[in-house]
Amino acid sequence: MKKILVLSMLLLALSLVLIGCQGQQEAAAPAEAEPAQEEAATELHIYNWSEYIDPEVYTAFEEEYGIKVIEDTFSSNEELLAKIQAGAAGYDLIVPSDYMVEIMIAEGLLAELNHANVPNIANLSALFSDPPFDPGLTYCVPYQWGTTGIGYNSEVFEDAPASWAYIFDPAMAAEYEGKITMLNDSRESIGAALKYLGYSLNTTSEAELEEAKELLIQTKPFIFSYDSDQFEDLIAADEVVIGHGWSGDYFMAAVDDERIWYVIPEEGGVVWADNLCIPLTSKNQDAAELFINYILQPEIAAQITNFTWYGSPVEAANEFIDPEILEEPAIYPSAETMERLEWIQDVGDATPLYERIWTEVKASE
Ligand code: SPD
C-alpha cells in the first residue's frame, strides 16, 4: 500500500513537471517560431554625407511609399563610425565608404541584406557586384563612387595644377599661402601626403607615416582650413584658390561657377565608393531595403548622378546620365588613370597610429 502511494506521488510529480515544461514551451514558442514583426514604417532615417542626393529623390520615394525620409549628415567615415559605436540607434541607413564597410562588418555593426528585397541589385555593373570590402554584397550596396584630387580656380591656374606639389612643396604652396584647403579627414589628408611622398596611402610603416606627418605639419601655415563640408564653396567665395577634395563636390559647384574645376594629380589619388548599409540597430530593415531597391532603378540612379556629379555603380543608368558627366575623364577615369589611383583599405592595428598622427597635425601650431 505504502509502495503504491509513493509510486502515485512520483507519477503526480512527473506529470506536474511535464505540464510545467509544456507550459514554458508554449510561452516561449512565439518568440522562437517567428521573428519579431517589423511594424510598417512611416519614417526612414538616413545618415548620409551632405549634398549627396537630389532631394527630389526623397520626395518621390515618400510619395510612392508613404514613408517619410529624414536625413542627418556627417563629414567623415570616422565621425560616422564613432556615432554608430556610441550606440546611436535611430538610423535605418548609413553610407560608409569601402574601408569603413570592412571595419563595420568586423565590428558587427551592420545587418545582413535580404537580397530577395533588393532585386535591382542586378542593375549594378560587374565592377561593383562583388567588391573586396563586402564580398557578395552581403551587407551593403554601392551608392556612388568618385576620386579625391585637387579642385582649383581656373582663373588663377591657367594650366591645371595636376600635382600634389601645389599643396605640399613649400616653394609652390607659399605662393597661395592661406588660400589652400585640405579635407578634415585623417585617412584622406594623410593619404594625400603619402601619395606626394611616393608611398602607398595604406602604408603601415611608422617611418613613412612620420614623414607624412612632418610634411602635413610643414604645410599647415599655408592652409586656410581643414574642411570637408564647404571646400568647394570656399573657392566660389574667393576665400581660397586651390584645395584637396572630392571630385563631385567640385564639379557640382562648377555648375554655378564655371571658374571651378578639378584634376586628378599625376602622383595619383584616392578612388572610393560609398555604400548604403543598414545598421544592426535599425527597426525598419524592410523599408531600408525598399529604399535601396528604389535608388537602384536606372533612371533614379542617373538622377542622383546628374545631381551629385559622382559616378553611378548602376550600369543601366548610363543611358540616362548627362553626356557631359559620362564623358568627363575626371569622373569616369580611363583605365590608365585608374592605375594611378588607390582604394583606402582598413589598416587594422595601424589605425590608432593614423589617428594619433592626425591629432598631432591638427594640434600643431
Ligand atoms: N558630398 C558628398 C561627398 C561624399 C564623399 N565620400 C567620399 C569619402 C571617401 N573617403
Side-chain angles (χ1 to χ4, degrees), residues 233-297:
D233 301 331
L234 289 169
I235 297 187
D238 287 320
E239 293 283 359
V240 305
V241 295
I242 186 168
H244 158 238
W246 296 309
S247 49
D249 286 55
Y250 284 121
F251 284 119
M252 202 171 146
V255 172
D256 294 325
D257 185 340
E258 58 185 21
R259 298 172 307 157
I260 299 173
W261 210 240
Y262 169 87
V263 65
I264 296 174
E266 60 204 20
E267 299 91 346
V270 181
V271 55
W272 47 260
D274 295 329
N275 305 270
L276 287 167
C277 313
I278 305 173
L280 202 58
T281 49
S282 165
K283 293 194 178 63
N284 298 317
Q285 177 151 0
D286 285 350
E289 285 162 348
L290 192 65
F291 183 82
I292 294 176
N293 200 51
Y294 181 79
I295 62 104
L296 285 172
Q297 296 173 91

Side-chain angles (χ1 to χ4, degrees), residues 49-52 77 97 99 188 246 249 272 274 310 344:
W49 301 83
S50 60
E51 296 178 90
Y52 210 21
N77 281 295
S97 305
Y99 73 100
E188 288 279 12
W246 296 309
D249 286 55
W272 47 260
D274 295 329
Y310 284 110
I344 297 179

Side-chain angles (χ1 to χ4, degrees), residues 38 74 78 81-82 150-151 153 206 213 218 234 236 247 269 285 292 295 307 315 352:
E38 278 184 12
F74 59 86
E78 286 64 32
L81 177 66
I150 294 175
N153 179 337
E206 199 161 344
K213 181 184 91 179
Q218 167 198 304
L234 289 169
S247 49
Q285 177 151 0
I292 294 176
I295 62 104
F307 179 89
E315 189 159 24

